[in-house]
């Protein structure tokens, strides 16, 4: 059994025991065996190991956990982005453009896009990335989207209910029947989660409840796109169905915040349903940002994710989302870094990632900086010097 010691870490973010909310340790070392963290402590007292990685006094963090991304698609919508920047509103209407391109693509074309974006994210420190379907919207195209997604992630999500495709425009009930029946049956073997875009123009609360309940009955965990473009019942539906995460949360009522706060664990460790904020979407659609402070002050567990997709947020950079959360949403740098690591893990109901404590997966990043603060302080700068996933450098 070969061991690896990462030592000479100036600032180690553990998200466990240590200083402050990030569990910081200074002049620290991490011992890795068989892809797991087995020891964390002062560099000066580190046990011997077969190999050594000298962090050179830099900061080391858990790898980012991006719990919301749509990577299986073809084409792009750069012209739609340009039109938005010239004043057009975002409505989600462009989803159908991507559905057309995705259906016309070969498996290898879709696979190449997923691999390219997954690799892009990995180089920027994302060691876990959820991947949704949702641009196929036929039984065969949703199943192949998830089959391809599953080649790159174990965190795969069936989003057959992204929009009602054009051929079902005048009979949405029939489309819901297709999603709950043959489409779910074909998708479920490759999916861990089920998701619905619950929004005006997509699926209403009753349709969303029906689809999520079918997914749950098929053994999938629940997550939901909720309250992105306007107020609605999506967040409270997520709470009702014990969703791991309600995502976007841009337009919340007091009752929505109370419902999320009501899922608090009794041990004070936050809420069972996480609010995942996707500031890349507000940036790229020039929309008001969600009120992160209101959620945090109510005790709601908050995650940050990219929402990487060709329409509303074509970024794979978690560091960019951290910077936006700090500058535009008034999260502290510590809150934002926690949300992008441990928060994402909570949104996926995982306790083996997002932390650097004994027993956790050895997924970490070495920054080209002395502190995690630089992720927000130096926006747009490639600060990821080294990435380790499962104890190996990919
Ligand atoms: O999460 N809101 C729904 N789905 C995506 C956008 C998809 C698109 O515009 O292609 C989102 O923002
Ligand atoms: Fe999304």
């Amino acid at each position: 059994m070969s061991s690896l010691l990462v030592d000479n870490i100036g600032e180690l973010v553990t998200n466990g025991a240590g200083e402050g909310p990030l569990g910081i340790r200074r002049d620290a070392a991490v011992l890795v065996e068989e892809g797991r963290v087995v020891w964390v402590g002062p560099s000066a007292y580190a046990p011997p190991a077969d190999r050594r990685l000298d962090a050179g006094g830099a900061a080391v963090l858990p790898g980012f956990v991006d719990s919301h991304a749509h990577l299986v698609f073809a084409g792009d919508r750069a012209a739609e982005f340009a039109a938005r920047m010239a004043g057009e509103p975002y409505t989600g209407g462009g989803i159908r453009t991507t559905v057309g391109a995705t259906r016309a693509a070969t498996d290898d074309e879709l696979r190449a896009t997923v691999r390219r974006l997954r690799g892009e994210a990995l180089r920027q420190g994302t060691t876990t990335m959820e991947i949704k379907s949702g641009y196929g919207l036929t039984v065969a195209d949703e199943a192949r989207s998830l089959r391809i997604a599953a080649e790159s992630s174990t965190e795969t999500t069936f989003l057959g209910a992204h929009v009602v495709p054009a051929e079902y425009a005048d009979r949405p009930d029939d489309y819901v029947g297709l999603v709950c029946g043959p489409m779910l049956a074909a998708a479920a073997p490759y999916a861990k989660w089920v998701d619905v875009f619950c929004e005006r123009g997509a699926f209403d609360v009753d349709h969303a409840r029906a689809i999520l309940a079918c997914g749950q009955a098929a053994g999938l965990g629940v997550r939901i796109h909720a309250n992105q473009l306007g107020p609605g019942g999506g967040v409270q539906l997520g709470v009702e169905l014990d969703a791991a995460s309600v995502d976007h949360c841009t337009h919340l009522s007091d009752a929505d915040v109370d419902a999320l706060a009501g899922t608090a664990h009794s041990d004070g460790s936050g809420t069972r349903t996480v609010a995942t904020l996707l500031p890349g979407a507000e940036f790229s659609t020039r929309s008001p940002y969600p009120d992160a402070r209101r959620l945090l002050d109510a005790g709601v567990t908050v995650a940050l994710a990219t929402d990487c997709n060709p329409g509303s947020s074509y970024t794979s950079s978690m560091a960019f989302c951290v910077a936006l959360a700090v500058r535009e949403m008034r999260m502290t740098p510590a809150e934002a870094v926690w949300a992008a690591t441990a928060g994402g893990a909570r949104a996926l109901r995982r306790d083996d990632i997002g932390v650097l404590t004994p027993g956790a997966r050895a997924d970490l990043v070495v920054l080209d900086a002395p502190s995690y603060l630089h992720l927000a302080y130096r926006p747009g700068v490639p600060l990821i010097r080294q990435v380790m996933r499962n104890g190996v450098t990919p």
Side-chain angles (χ1 to χ4, degrees):
M1 182 173 56
S2 141
S3 56
L4 168 69
L5 185 71
V6 186
D7 69 352
N8 202 9
I9 301 170
E11 180 186 272
L12 174 67
V13 172
T14 68
N15 288 335
E19 186 191 305
L22 294 179
I24 287 186
R25 290 164 170 261
R26 307 210 181 266
D27 304 315
V30 175
L31 183 66
V32 175
E33 279 175 10
E34 292 189 330
R36 297 265 162 185
V37 174
V38 294
W39 180 91
V40 175
S43 216
Y45 299 104
D50 302 320
R51 288 175 303 129
R52 174 173 179 237
L53 172 64
D54 182 351
V60 169
L61 278 68
F64 293 123
V65 179
D66 186 352
S67 61
H68 185 139
H70 309 245
L71 303 190
V72 195
F73 64 84
D76 75 29
R77 287 166 28 214
E80 180 191 311
F81 174 77
R84 270 204 306 278
M85 294 305 106
E88 288 290 317
Y90 175 78
T91 61
I95 295 173
R96 284 180 179 171
T97 307
T98 301
V99 169
T102 303
R103 288 177 178 176
T106 65
D107 288 8
D108 281 344
E109 285 165 346
L110 296 179
R111 183 173 287 120
T113 297
V114 171
R115 289 193 179 156
R116 174 176 64 80
L117 293 170
R118 182 65 193 93
E120 188 181 278
L122 187 61
R123 288 192 295 281
Q124 297 172 92
T126 298
T127 47
T128 302
M129 196 169 193
E130 182 257 19
I131 305 178
K132 301 177 196 298
S133 68
Y135 292 114
L137 310 187
T138 65
V139 172
D141 286 308
E142 285 296 300
R144 74 167 174 150
S145 294
L146 284 160
R147 187 163 34 78
I148 290 166
E151 294 169 3
S152 291
S153 181
T154 57
E155 301 293 345
T156 52
T157 300
F158 170 46
L159 181 59
H162 199 181
V163 286
V164 176
E167 65 275 19
Y168 280 90
D170 51 0
R171 43 193 184 112
D173 289 346
D174 290 355
Y175 186 66
V176 173
L178 179 76
V179 171
C180 288
M183 197 183 280
L184 173 64
Y190 308 107
K192 180 167 175 184
W193 303 97
V194 60
D195 192 346
V196 172
F197 184 21
C198 183
E199 198 79 40
R200 192 192 300 265
F203 294 87
D204 65 21
V205 168
D206 290 337
H207 280 156
R209 181 184 287 106
I211 293 161
L212 294 172
C214 293
Q216 216 163 22
L220 307 183
V222 170
R223 37 204 332 106
I224 184 168
H225 281 70
N227 304 53
Q228 175 187 6
L229 305 177
V235 164
Q236 292 183 55
L237 176 64
V239 169
E240 174 191 322
L241 297 177
D242 187 33
S245 179
V246 293
D247 294 30
H248 285 287
C249 294
T250 311
H251 297 269
L252 297 184
S253 66
D254 288 347
D256 296 329
V257 177
D258 289 350
L260 286 167
T263 71
H265 293 286
S266 54
D267 62 2
S269 63
T271 52
R272 188 166 158 80
T273 297
V274 172
T276 298
L277 309 182
L278 307 163
E282 278 74 35
F283 177 88
S284 299
T285 60
R286 193 171 276 147
S287 304
Y289 289 92
D291 190 345
R293 287 255 57 90
R294 184 177 174 208
L295 290 161
L296 290 163
D297 293 347
V300 177
T301 298
V302 169
L304 287 169
T306 61
D307 197 14
C308 184
N309 76 79
S312 63
S313 181
Y314 201 7
T315 181
S316 55
S317 170
M318 288 293 281
F320 175 59
C321 296
V322 166
L324 286 180
V326 172
R327 172 62 180 83
E328 303 294 334
M329 289 153 57
R330 297 177 191 280
M331 290 174 74
T332 66
E335 285 168 340
V337 166
W338 191 92
T341 52
R346 294 278 295 271
L348 295 170
R349 298 234 162 116
R350 297 272 299 267
D351 57 13
D352 59 330
I353 55 175
V355 294
L356 289 174
T357 52
R361 261 173 48 164
D363 291 357
L364 60 83
V365 296
V366 183
L367 295 189
D368 243 331
S371 169
Y372 74 88
L373 290 169
H374 285 230
L375 289 168
Y377 172 48
R378 306 203 63 216
V381 177
L383 291 180
I384 307 298
R385 181 191 297 167
Q386 194 149 11
V387 182
M388 185 179 294
R389 195 160 170 270
N390 267 327
V392 293
T393 308

